[in-house]
Amino acid sequence: MIISSTPLRMSFAGGGSDIPAFYRKHGGAVLSTAIDQYIYVTVSEKFDHLLRVSYSKTEQVESSDRLSHPLVREALAMLHIKGGIEITSVADIPSRGTGLGSSSSFTVGLLHALHAYQGRHVSASELAAQACSIEINRCKEPIGKQDQYAAAFGGLNFIRFNSDDSVCVDPIICPRETLRRLENELLVFYTGITRSASKVLSRQSRAMVGTKNAGNAMKAMVRLAYDLRSEFQHNNISSFGDILHEGWVLKKSIASGISNPRIDAWYEKARSAGAHGGKLLGAGSGGFMLFHAPVERHENIRTALSDLREVKFLFEPQGSRIIFVH
């Protein structure tokens, strides 16, 4: 039996520039962190030759090509595993449509566990690249690459997406005290709204290709990612909320459906209560809302958003890990 643990992620700036339609022309950059919420994948030998996969439902089939779950089906095909195993997955928090990169974390964790089951060590870079291949090339999802690299590498990183499809992961280097202070100043709330990231990202991708204004907005969001990296490098997080706010305003201008009146109302309530800035995590339209504010304003913000559930997150320095082998 093999168990992998793979973190989810929060993206602070540049999200959307990891979509091929954009970065292949202009290059992209995202600043994001892994968080201490995880997806666990278990792979174990099965008594018979069948293949059993348990997630929100359970499938038992004779061969991997008969699986309905596309990510599992394609991961098994990539690694030439036909059957004779059982795969289960569990998530710490809602794992679909919440803006924390759960599908990519699952894919990375599944690949990690399957490689370990076959007796192989695999690097973070290989895991991320294979997960991208499964989601983007094999499953034809209209998504980007940031989630896979955030899940595989862990930590707080500046991730660059180059026009030749290569990816560079540069850890953010700053004092630990600065990171702890930032963690304390962040608030995250669950909206209770889930959505299809693929649909939202498809609209964004079409807009960036088809309209000049959307392309210019994404270029400005990439510049914000570079600005935020510079702020970290100078041990200065005082402008963190302002950068979040500017990025959120730009993102909403790219395509319809990224926000809605309910989300806008929550956002304005938080700002009026003292938040410097914030954003919806992930593609938009639902999931989790992130805010940056002085600690002394947090209670006011909690009161203003009393109809939402607050969730505590900390930064996670490690990426996908094998945590059990038997």
Side-chain angles (χ1 to χ4, degrees):
M1 176 182 286
I2 307 291
I3 303 177
S4 67
S5 171
T6 306
L8 301 176
R9 67 97 186 97
M10 291 194 297
S11 179
F12 297 135
S17 68
D18 59 325
I19 295 175
F22 180 83
Y23 74 70
R24 285 175 180 164
K25 287 186 176 181
H26 310 290
V30 169
L31 199 149
S32 68
T33 184
I35 58 174
D36 64 341
Q37 301 290 314
Y38 309 92
I39 290 182
Y40 304 91
V41 177
T42 300
V43 174
S44 55
E45 187 174 11
K46 204 170 182 299
F47 178 75
D48 53 32
H49 70 284
L50 297 177
L51 179 63
R52 180 183 175 92
V53 181
S54 297
Y55 46 105
S56 57
K57 66 178 184 178
T58 298
E59 299 185 61
Q60 182 158 292
V61 296
E62 292 187 352
S63 61
S64 60
D65 60 345
R66 297 189 178 184
L67 283 171
S68 298
H69 197 301
L71 298 175
V72 179
R73 184 181 65 242
E74 296 303 325
L76 292 172
M78 175 181 279
L79 300 186
H80 308 291
I81 298 173
K82 298 295 184 181
I85 63 172
E86 181 166 355
I87 299 170
T88 62
S89 65
V90 179
D92 280 340
I93 59 173
S95 58
R96 289 189 62 83
T98 53
L100 300 177
S102 57
S103 293
S104 297
S105 290
F106 170 77
T107 308
V108 168
L110 173 63
L111 285 168
H112 205 171
L114 291 173
H115 276 293
Y117 183 79
Q118 293 181 316
R120 287 194 301 271
H121 169 77
V122 62
S123 68
S125 181
E126 290 175 295
L127 278 176
Q130 289 181 359
C132 288
S133 179
I134 287 172
E135 292 192 89
I136 299 171
N137 300 329
R138 289 173 173 256
C139 294
K140 307 300 181 185
E141 290 289 339
I143 62 174
K145 292 183 173 183
Q146 67 155 315
D147 296 351
Q148 300 87 345
Y149 281 84
F153 279 83
L156 177 66
N157 298 301
F158 183 75
I159 308 175
R160 290 178 286 130
F161 310 97
N162 304 311
S163 58
D164 62 357
D165 282 322
S166 63
V167 179
C168 299
V169 180
D170 302 322
I172 295 295
I173 299 173
C174 67
R176 183 176 300 177
E177 294 76 17
T178 301
L179 297 183
R180 297 293 84 81
R181 177 186 158 201
L182 179 59
E183 284 178 330
N184 290 333
E185 292 178 352
L186 295 179
L187 286 166
V188 181
F189 295 90
Y190 182 47
T191 66
I193 304 170
T194 59
R195 79 289 182 272
S196 168
S198 295
K199 292 179 180 179
V200 179
L201 289 170
S202 291
R203 289 195 295 267
Q204 290 183 37
S205 185
R206 289 193 299 269
M208 284 188 288
V209 172
T211 66
K212 184 177 180 180
N213 287 343
N216 287 338
M218 185 54 67
K219 291 177 185 177
M221 290 170 67
V222 171
R223 288 194 292 271
L224 287 177
Y226 279 90
D227 290 344
L228 188 54
R229 180 182 67 166
S230 178
E231 292 296 289
F232 274 113
Q233 289 173 338
H234 289 89
N235 195 29
N236 177 26
I237 59 171
S238 60
S239 62
F240 189 90
D242 294 331
I243 290 175
L244 287 184
H245 176 70
E246 187 174 350
W248 175 236
V249 172
L250 286 167
K251 185 167 186 173
K252 289 198 298 179
S253 73
I254 290 176
S256 62
I258 289 176
S259 188
N260 60 50
R262 290 177 68 194
I263 292 168
D264 289 340
W266 286 322
Y267 188 83
E268 290 308 318
K269 284 182 179 179
R271 289 264 289 171
S272 296
H276 291 160
K279 59 172 291 189
L280 268 180
L281 295 169
S285 293
F288 288 86
M289 299 187 77
L290 168 72
F291 297 101
H292 178 248
V295 174
E296 60 269 20
R297 304 298 295 178
H298 283 196
E299 283 306 315
N300 290 346
I301 296 169
R302 291 184 180 109
T303 300
L305 301 181
S306 58
D307 52 334
L308 300 182
R309 176 183 174 183
E310 184 182 1
V311 182
K312 300 286 188 180
F313 292 155
L314 296 176
F315 298 169
E316 169 54 67
Q318 296 191 69
S320 184
R321 295 181 294 146
I322 300 299
I323 60 172
F324 183 82
V325 179
H326 178 68

mmCIF file of all heavy atoms in Angstrom, residues 8 39 71 95-97 100-108 135 143 147:
data_model
loop_
_atom_site.group_PDB
_atom_site.id
_atom_site.type_symbol
_atom_site.label_atom_id
_atom_site.label_comp_id
_atom_site.label_asym_id
_atom_site.label_seq_id
_atom_site.Cartn_x
_atom_site.Cartn_y
_atom_site.Cartn_z
ATOM 1 N N LEU A 8 -3.019 21.534 -1.668
ATOM 2 C CA LEU A 8 -3.738 22.462 -2.537
ATOM 3 C C LEU A 8 -2.953 23.770 -2.584
ATOM 4 O O LEU A 8 -1.901 23.898 -1.957
ATOM 5 C CB LEU A 8 -5.148 22.673 -2.004
ATOM 6 C CG LEU A 8 -5.997 21.402 -1.888
ATOM 7 C CD1 LEU A 8 -7.347 21.717 -1.249
ATOM 8 C CD2 LEU A 8 -6.190 20.743 -3.230
ATOM 9 N N ILE A 39 -4.859 16.580 -0.519
ATOM 10 C CA ILE A 39 -5.564 15.450 -1.116
ATOM 11 C C ILE A 39 -4.701 14.213 -0.919
ATOM 12 O O ILE A 39 -3.496 14.227 -1.195
ATOM 13 C CB ILE A 39 -5.849 15.698 -2.608
ATOM 14 C CG1 ILE A 39 -6.911 16.797 -2.747
ATOM 15 C CG2 ILE A 39 -6.304 14.407 -3.294
ATOM 16 C CD1 ILE A 39 -7.313 17.105 -4.158
ATOM 17 N N LEU A 71 -9.114 11.320 -15.318
ATOM 18 C CA LEU A 71 -7.753 11.520 -14.814
ATOM 19 C C LEU A 71 -7.115 10.198 -14.408
ATOM 20 O O LEU A 71 -5.942 9.939 -14.710
ATOM 21 C CB LEU A 71 -7.762 12.497 -13.633
ATOM 22 C CG LEU A 71 -8.265 13.907 -13.936
ATOM 23 C CD1 LEU A 71 -8.328 14.735 -12.665
ATOM 24 C CD2 LEU A 71 -7.371 14.597 -14.970
ATOM 25 N N SER A 95 -13.469 19.353 -2.856
ATOM 26 C CA SER A 95 -12.374 19.176 -3.812
ATOM 27 C C SER A 95 -12.739 19.465 -5.252
ATOM 28 O O SER A 95 -11.965 19.159 -6.154
ATOM 29 C CB SER A 95 -11.829 17.737 -3.707
ATOM 30 O OG SER A 95 -12.864 16.805 -3.942
ATOM 31 N N ARG A 96 -13.885 20.056 -5.504
ATOM 32 C CA ARG A 96 -14.218 20.403 -6.888
ATOM 33 C C ARG A 96 -14.810 21.807 -6.930
ATOM 34 O O ARG A 96 -15.679 22.158 -6.139
ATOM 35 C CB ARG A 96 -15.217 19.413 -7.484
ATOM 36 C CG ARG A 96 -14.628 18.034 -7.770
ATOM 37 C CD ARG A 96 -15.603 17.176 -8.557
ATOM 38 N NE ARG A 96 -15.907 17.744 -9.860
ATOM 39 C CZ ARG A 96 -15.148 17.583 -10.937
ATOM 40 N NH1 ARG A 96 -14.032 16.895 -10.856
ATOM 41 N NH2 ARG A 96 -15.502 18.109 -12.097
ATOM 42 N N GLY A 97 -14.317 22.606 -7.872
ATOM 43 C CA GLY A 97 -14.902 23.905 -8.124
ATOM 44 C C GLY A 97 -14.699 24.927 -7.038
ATOM 45 O O GLY A 97 -15.500 25.857 -6.908
ATOM 46 N N LEU A 100 -8.939 26.022 -5.561
ATOM 47 C CA LEU A 100 -7.695 25.699 -4.860
ATOM 48 C C LEU A 100 -6.837 24.694 -5.627
ATOM 49 O O LEU A 100 -5.873 24.149 -5.087
ATOM 50 C CB LEU A 100 -7.993 25.158 -3.458
ATOM 51 C CG LEU A 100 -8.744 26.114 -2.532
ATOM 52 C CD1 LEU A 100 -9.045 25.430 -1.200
ATOM 53 C CD2 LEU A 100 -7.958 27.391 -2.292
ATOM 54 N N GLY A 101 -7.187 24.450 -6.879
ATOM 55 C CA GLY A 101 -6.367 23.571 -7.713
ATOM 56 C C GLY A 101 -6.506 22.104 -7.390
ATOM 57 O O GLY A 101 -5.561 21.332 -7.581
ATOM 58 N N SER A 102 -7.679 21.670 -6.939
ATOM 59 C CA SER A 102 -7.830 20.310 -6.432
ATOM 60 C C SER A 102 -7.650 19.239 -7.499
ATOM 61 O O SER A 102 -7.065 18.178 -7.229
ATOM 62 C CB SER A 102 -9.194 20.149 -5.763
ATOM 63 O OG SER A 102 -10.240 20.464 -6.661
ATOM 64 N N SER A 103 -8.129 19.481 -8.713
ATOM 65 C CA SER A 103 -7.987 18.463 -9.758
ATOM 66 C C SER A 103 -6.521 18.187 -10.068
ATOM 67 O O SER A 103 -6.114 17.034 -10.232
ATOM 68 C CB SER A 103 -8.719 18.900 -11.029
ATOM 69 O OG SER A 103 -10.112 18.930 -10.827
ATOM 70 N N SER A 104 -5.738 19.243 -10.121
ATOM 71 C CA SER A 104 -4.311 19.068 -10.406
ATOM 72 C C SER A 104 -3.588 18.435 -9.230
ATOM 73 O O SER A 104 -2.688 17.609 -9.417
ATOM 74 C CB SER A 104 -3.672 20.409 -10.766
ATOM 75 O OG SER A 104 -4.249 20.929 -11.947
ATOM 76 N N SER A 105 -3.961 18.810 -7.999
ATOM 77 C CA SER A 105 -3.362 18.171 -6.827
ATOM 78 C C SER A 105 -3.675 16.681 -6.815
ATOM 79 O O SER A 105 -2.811 15.851 -6.494
ATOM 80 C CB SER A 105 -3.859 18.826 -5.540
ATOM 81 O OG SER A 105 -3.336 20.128 -5.399
ATOM 82 N N PHE A 106 -4.904 16.326 -7.174
ATOM 83 C CA PHE A 106 -5.266 14.917 -7.251
ATOM 84 C C PHE A 106 -4.418 14.205 -8.302
ATOM 85 O O PHE A 106 -3.895 13.106 -8.056
ATOM 86 C CB PHE A 106 -6.744 14.755 -7.587
ATOM 87 C CG PHE A 106 -7.132 13.339 -7.922
ATOM 88 C CD1 PHE A 106 -7.296 12.395 -6.925
ATOM 89 C CD2 PHE A 106 -7.299 12.958 -9.242
ATOM 90 C CE1 PHE A 106 -7.629 11.082 -7.237
ATOM 91 C CE2 PHE A 106 -7.625 11.648 -9.565
ATOM 92 C CZ PHE A 106 -7.799 10.710 -8.560
ATOM 93 N N THR A 107 -4.263 14.815 -9.467
ATOM 94 C CA THR A 107 -3.501 14.179 -10.548
ATOM 95 C C THR A 107 -2.047 13.998 -10.147
ATOM 96 O O THR A 107 -1.453 12.932 -10.376
ATOM 97 C CB THR A 107 -3.608 15.006 -11.839
ATOM 98 O OG1 THR A 107 -4.980 15.260 -12.139
ATOM 99 C CG2 THR A 107 -2.982 14.264 -13.007
ATOM 100 N N VAL A 108 -1.447 15.023 -9.555
ATOM 101 C CA VAL A 108 -0.059 14.922 -9.091
ATOM 102 C C VAL A 108 0.074 13.828 -8.043
ATOM 103 O O VAL A 108 0.983 12.989 -8.089
ATOM 104 C CB VAL A 108 0.425 16.282 -8.545
ATOM 105 C CG1 VAL A 108 1.753 16.130 -7.794
ATOM 106 C CG2 VAL A 108 0.579 17.285 -9.675
ATOM 107 N N GLU A 135 -3.834 16.273 -17.936
ATOM 108 C CA GLU A 135 -4.993 17.169 -17.877
ATOM 109 C C GLU A 135 -5.197 17.952 -19.167
ATOM 110 O O GLU A 135 -6.315 18.078 -19.668
ATOM 111 C CB GLU A 135 -4.842 18.132 -16.703
ATOM 112 C CG GLU A 135 -4.924 17.466 -15.342
ATOM 113 C CD GLU A 135 -5.073 18.465 -14.222
ATOM 114 O OE1 GLU A 135 -6.221 18.805 -13.889
ATOM 115 O OE2 GLU A 135 -4.037 18.910 -13.690
ATOM 116 N N ILE A 143 -7.242 24.279 -19.234
ATOM 117 C CA ILE A 143 -6.678 24.846 -18.011
ATOM 118 C C ILE A 143 -5.220 25.217 -18.235
ATOM 119 O O ILE A 143 -4.638 24.950 -19.283
ATOM 120 C CB ILE A 143 -6.792 23.862 -16.831
ATOM 121 C CG1 ILE A 143 -5.996 22.575 -17.127
ATOM 122 C CG2 ILE A 143 -8.257 23.527 -16.562
ATOM 123 C CD1 ILE A 143 -5.932 21.611 -15.969
ATOM 124 N N ASP A 147 -1.267 25.049 -11.333
ATOM 125 C CA ASP A 147 -1.711 24.192 -10.234
ATOM 126 C C ASP A 147 -0.846 22.949 -10.091
ATOM 127 O O ASP A 147 -0.516 22.524 -8.982
ATOM 128 C CB ASP A 147 -3.165 23.781 -10.436
ATOM 129 C CG ASP A 147 -4.122 24.952 -10.398
ATOM 130 O OD1 ASP A 147 -3.687 26.055 -10.046
ATOM 131 O OD2 ASP A 147 -5.301 24.756 -10.734
#
